[in-house]
Amino acid sequence: MPESQPPRAPGSKAARLRAQLNGPSVVRAVGAHDGLTAKLVQRAGFEAVWASSFEISASHGLPDASLVTMTQYLDAAIAMDAVTDIPIIADCDTGFGGPMNAAYAMQRYERAGIAALCIEDKLFPKINSFADAAQDLLPTEDFALKIKNAAEVRTDPDTLLIARTEALIAGLEVSEALERAHAYVAAGADAVLVHSKSRRPEEVLEFAGRWHSEVPLVAVPTTYHTVTESELYGAGFRLVIYANQGLRAAVKGVQEVLHDLGSATGAAAIEERIAPMAEVFALQGMPSSFRTTP
């Protein structure tokens, strides 16, 4: 039986996210791995945070390969949710195991107030979609059972369950991706993320052109980054996730600053390129009376 949970107040983050998906433009989510990066996403004006399994794994110094536990992912999502006013969309990989694991994840994340969960149809343990490795999928009916179990234990109808198909990542045809996606919607998915590692957007746009359902579509334009948000919206995508750009920017920026600091004779060489302490204090919520001027 599902755990009991008090109903959320009107205007919950989950309810707002559902309403935004019916709005006049795409909802934009950006990947984050902790409270600070989630705050930066909100400050930049984006509508949601993607609690990225890739970023959370990287923050532990580990590959995105089902090494980080559900508890670690959930703790990271809770930390992000606690310090932001925008919805958190949790990247839950394969649901952390079988159908019962997916249902348990739904209970735990929903109880914590996370607005949306995304589960993908690869085998557990998975490896990142852009890794040069085999991307093996569950049979359609097996993954549909995960979605069904997760949907059935949900106690708040506003909590979003996103089914992510990796059919295109695995090298299958658009028709296979469509067949899978329709089965997942029939099992209870509220939205469908169709993932692609193509350098061009044509295959996801073809998928959208052949998608005959009111269930909204989700895009992750990591490799096909030339596509615009308006093009995606016009094709039927209602949520666009910039899943890893923030982390990649941070890695590049930190590497460059540390390289220059390592070859300098002191910190003055990089001082103008880094955030002042006062800005970090502001992000942390430090009372203004305690903030420094540097």
Side-chain angles (χ1 to χ4, degrees), residues 153 209 246:
V153 300

Side-chain angles (χ1 to χ4, degrees), residues 55-96:
E55 290 208 12
I56 296 169
S57 296
S59 74
H60 287 273
L62 294 171
D64 181 19
S66 297
L67 300 177
V68 176
T69 67
M70 186 197 80
T71 300
Q72 290 171 300
Y73 282 136
L74 177 57
D75 286 345
I78 290 171
M80 297 181 215
D81 188 63
V83 296
T84 57
D85 298 320
I86 56 179
I88 307 297
I89 303 169
D91 178 6
C92 292
D93 284 347
T94 61
F96 309 107

Side-chain angles (χ1 to χ4, degrees), residues 154-244:
R154 176 173 45 189
T155 59
D156 183 344
D158 286 329
T159 303
L160 279 149
L161 178 57
I162 303 171
R164 167 172 159 176
T165 180
E166 298 277 297
L168 301 180
I169 295 288
L172 302 175
E173 298 294 328
V174 171
S175 57
E176 171 71 12
L178 286 162
E179 181 180 334
R180 284 175 168 268
H182 282 294
Y184 304 159
V185 169
D190 302 298
V192 168
L193 190 162
V194 55
H195 209 201
S196 169
K197 60 183 177 183
S198 173
R199 295 289 176 181
R200 300 179 60 82
E202 278 76 8
E203 65 178 1
V204 296
L205 295 177
E206 179 187 348
F207 179 99
R210 295 167 61 183
W211 181 245
H212 304 300
S213 170
E214 295 300 315
V215 170
L217 297 177
V218 184
V220 186
T222 299
T223 54
Y224 54 97
H225 48 73
T226 57
V227 73
T228 66
E229 292 172 0
S230 60
E231 287 174 321
L232 289 170
Y233 185 83
F237 290 94
R238 295 297 177 261
L239 173 61
V240 174
I241 299 172
Y242 299 106
N244 48 55

Side-chain angles (χ1 to χ4, degrees), residues 9-27:
S12 69
K13 292 181 182 181
R16 282 189 277 127
L17 180 58
R18 278 189 178 269
Q20 287 172 320
L21 291 177
N22 293 317
S25 60
V26 293
V27 178

Side-chain angles (χ1 to χ4, degrees), residues 90-123:
D91 178 6
C92 292
D93 284 347
T94 61
F96 309 107
M100 290 180 65
N101 301 83
Y104 180 61
M106 170 60 80
Q107 290 176 326
R108 291 291 305 276
Y109 276 80
E110 187 181 44
R111 176 174 285 275
I114 305 304
L117 284 73
C118 181
I119 303 174
E120 65 191 64
D121 58 2
K122 285 196 296 211
L123 292 178

